[in-house]
Amino acid sequence: MICTDKADHEPLRKANREAHLAYLNETGCVTYAGPFLDNGTMTGSLVIIEAADKAAAEDWAANDPYALAGLFAKVRVEEWKKVIG
């Protein structure tokens, strides 16, 4: 998933960060995750999960506390094939 934050997002991101991190850790499907940065300011998220199919990944993304709080201006859910690593 490639998520882009809405403008003036920082207070909303900070208010929901703890719940977001708990969701990433508790769901058991996250392989990699981290924020995109612009001069040290978080501006979005990259999250790589293992899911049964795209519908399951979209459901997971929709239930992320950041998404539920309305943080993201845009979310792309893409199928990805690991080639190296």
Side-chain angles (χ1 to χ4, degrees), residues 12-30:
L12 188 57
R13 180 177 271 275
K14 286 181 180 179
N16 291 280
R17 185 168 171 75
E18 187 174 316
H20 165 74
L21 293 175
Y23 183 72
L24 268 63
N25 287 311
E26 293 168 1
T27 56
C29 62
V30 178

Side-chain angles (χ1 to χ4, degrees), residues 27-63:
T27 56
C29 62
V30 178
T31 303
Y32 299 102
F36 290 112
L37 302 174
D38 182 9
N39 292 319
T41 299
M42 291 182 246
T43 60
S45 300
L46 173 67
V47 183
I48 298 175
I49 67 169
E50 291 190 29
D53 54 32
K54 188 170 182 177
E58 289 170 341
D59 183 62
W60 186 94
N63 287 290

Side-chain angles (χ1 to χ4, degrees), residues 60-72:
W60 186 94
N63 287 290
D64 178 344
Y66 277 169
L68 294 172
L71 174 64
F72 301 128

